[in-house]
Amino acid sequence: MVFEVVGTPALDREHRVQQLYELGFTWANLEDEAYWIDQLVLMEQSTYNELILAANFLWRVFDKAVRYVKGNRLLYQQLSIPEVLWDGLDRLELNDIGAISRYARFDFTVDQQGGIKLLELNADTPTGYVEAAIATPWLCEQKGYASPNTEMKDLVRAAWAIEAPDFAACIAYGQHAEDTGTIDALVAHSGRNMTCVDCLDLWIDEGIVKVGEQQNISRMFALYPKEWMGVDDGGEALSYAIEEQFIELFNSLHAVILQSKGLQAIVWGLHTDNAALFTADEHKAIADYMLPTFFSPELSGDYVSKSMFGREGGSVELYDAEGELEVKDEVGFDTSVFFKRIYQQRADLPELTFTHGSRHLLTGLFVLNGTPCGLLGRAGGKITGNASQFVPIGVKIP
């Protein structure tokens, strides 16, 4: 068995919630709901080692795929990337190998027999950083187990030493607990003197991004999904500012290519064609750890349909062996009204038993400054959506 649930919820939950709050994890309880599960999931060391190996290979695979896509507008269209971003994607230089995104997270399903399959890559604006980098090491230590997440803050510091943002932004900074906490933690771990702002307070004057009357912004980390520049008011002005290099955003603009779930379909197609783009070892990693993914519904059953830019489970539909719709996300916003869908072979999440009932476990693995690190556990239904809970994942030391 790869996973083991250990511990029982403490009787003094409110005290522990307050301790987590003081550490910076301020949303362990969301209103009257418990977002944090006060138990610990342990993963076998050998499976964790293989997960790191898989992530290293897949990170190289996806990096090569972005370089294959860059400059091909038919592929931009196929990936559902908003047209307003195309000029910038063409004109701006790609970052070094492995550094298209310095702040990303793979989401895997890992079964109890050790099978590992990639579900998706959030290479633009992943949340869960506070849960993984701050809460998980503390919670593991409290129960006497090891956490592999302790190096996350050092990797963020190294990444931002290179990118050197002066501002960090999210929507509703100071009001939205999770996004604000994520920004605050990243800034603290970066060691940089930075200004945090609300994206809605930004304005653009002839390509210059400003906050207030006097401050111009030229280098900014933004927890703002780049695909929304094709939808939001002001998106065209921001994309122009990026394209003309009045402002440099982190992650880079090309992270939107990594972010599109359609990139998995491109990778799978190149793999089935035995493309020379990938090495033999990379082809093996694709076969072992990725799922057949297509731009059209080619699978007759046991597949998943989801928007290329869906977030928090929104738009996800699971189909059974007969090709009948089994379950769909009813809570998250269905972004397929704006972006096209992909169709992926289904790989279910393992079901674990906690004190308060059974949950399906999603295993997240951050990639920071090109280094896979930082486990994030999300426990919920067959589809991991807004109602899912955070559970820390540690590693069993043999």
Side-chain angles (χ1 to χ4, degrees):
M1 300 282 281
V2 167
F3 294 112
E4 177 188 358
V5 179
V6 299
T8 56
L11 296 176
D12 61 341
R13 178 181 174 87
E14 290 309 313
H15 174 64
R16 285 168 62 73
V17 166
Q18 181 59 35
Q19 288 179 295
L20 288 166
Y21 190 100
E22 291 169 1
L23 290 171
F25 180 33
T26 63
W27 55 99
N29 284 347
L30 290 171
E31 298 178 353
D32 296 327
E33 299 293 327
Y35 168 60
W36 156 59
I37 296 176
D38 185 13
Q39 291 183 272
L40 180 63
V41 174
L42 291 180
M43 175 187 286
E44 289 284 355
Q45 177 78 57
S46 60
T47 303
Y48 174 73
N49 293 343
E50 185 178 354
L51 192 67
I52 295 295
L53 181 69
N56 272 309
F57 272 115
L58 294 179
W59 193 243
R60 292 200 293 271
V61 164
F62 277 76
D63 187 279
K64 287 184 175 182
V66 171
R67 296 172 198 279
Y68 173 82
V69 166
K70 185 184 185 300
N72 189 326
R73 297 194 166 199
L74 290 177
L75 293 181
Y76 294 167
Q77 184 177 41
Q78 196 170 31
L79 292 172
S80 213
I81 295 171
E83 190 170 351
V84 72
L85 303 180
W86 292 4
D87 284 346
L89 293 174
D90 285 350
R91 291 176 58 185
L92 298 177
E93 292 295 322
L94 280 163
N95 284 0
D96 293 341
I97 292 172
I100 294 170
S101 166
R102 295 186 189 273
Y103 174 64
R105 191 191 71 234
F106 283 119
D107 285 339
F108 292 96
T109 177
V110 182
D111 64 32
Q112 286 287 35
Q113 291 69 49
I116 297 170
K117 292 295 182 183
L118 175 68
L119 300 180
E120 58 191 53
L121 168 63
N122 188 337
D124 190 14
T125 60
T127 53
Y129 178 82
V130 174
E131 294 94 313
I134 295 175
T136 293
W138 186 81
L139 292 165
C140 286
E141 182 182 8
Q142 291 283 301
K143 295 187 183 297
Y145 294 100
S147 169
N149 295 14
T150 54
E151 66 174 326
M152 292 178 70
K153 60 181 181 294
D154 295 328
L155 291 168
V156 165
R157 180 182 288 261
W160 283 15
I162 297 168
E163 294 178 335
D166 298 313
F167 289 80
C170 67
I171 301 292
Y173 179 77
Q175 299 175 46
H176 189 282
E178 182 181 3
D179 287 358
T180 299
T182 301
I183 290 291
D184 286 344
L186 288 167
V187 169
H189 288 176
S190 76
R192 294 183 58 79
N193 183 18
M194 297 173 61
T195 302
C196 298
V197 297
D198 187 336
C199 287
L200 298 180
D201 290 336
L202 303 177
W203 59 288
I204 300 173
D205 180 23
E206 297 184 351
I208 305 298
V209 180
K210 298 173 176 284
V211 60
E213 291 297 323
Q214 303 298 326
Q215 285 188 298
N216 295 348
I217 301 177
S218 60
R219 303 178 70 81
M220 180 173 71
F221 174 85
L223 205 64
Y224 169 75
K226 294 175 179 61
E227 67 268 18
W228 288 105
M229 280 187 261
V231 178
D232 288 344
D233 293 339
E236 186 172 357
L238 179 56
S239 65
Y240 171 78
I242 297 168
E243 173 191 333
E244 295 295 331
Q245 301 183 63
F246 291 114
I247 187 170
E248 189 170 2
L249 280 192
F250 311 106
N251 286 309
S252 73
L253 185 63
H254 295 104
V256 76
I257 303 177
L258 279 173
Q259 180 68 37
S260 173
K261 296 178 181 66
L263 193 65
Q264 294 180 71
I266 286 179
V267 168
W268 190 258
L270 290 167
H271 167 64
T272 55
D273 289 342
N274 199 30
L277 180 67
F278 304 126
T279 67
D281 286 341
E282 288 164 351
H283 274 292
K284 185 178 186 305
I286 295 167
D288 288 346
Y289 303 121
M290 291 187 68
L291 295 162
T293 307
F294 307 95
F295 289 108
S296 57
E298 299 184 22
L299 300 162
S300 59
D302 280 331
Y303 68 91
V304 179
S305 172
K306 50 191 172 183
S307 168
M308 293 195 197
F309 288 103
R311 310 262 177 165
E312 291 291 340
S315 83
V316 176
E317 299 174 347
L318 303 184
Y319 290 82
D320 63 19
E322 286 71 45
E324 297 295 323
L325 179 63
E326 180 179 321
V327 61
K328 65 181 294 185
D329 182 85
E330 301 286 358
V331 179
F333 176 65
D334 184 358
T335 55
S336 66
V337 298
F338 297 122
F339 310 108
K340 291 179 287 189
R341 287 180 168 269
I342 60 158
Y343 303 85
Q344 185 179 69
Q345 185 182 84
R346 180 170 167 175
D348 289 337
L349 300 169
E351 190 170 5
L352 305 183
T353 301
F354 299 92
T355 298
H356 299 300
S358 296
R359 301 286 190 274
H360 296 268
L361 180 70
L362 178 76
T363 301
L365 181 68
F366 279 85
V367 182
L368 304 176
N369 206 29
T371 300
C373 67
L375 292 169
L376 174 69
R378 292 286 300 278
K382 292 182 178 180
I383 297 171
T384 305
N386 276 327
S388 299
Q389 297 171 282
F390 156 63
V391 61
I393 301 178
V395 176
K396 298 180 191 178
I397 302 299

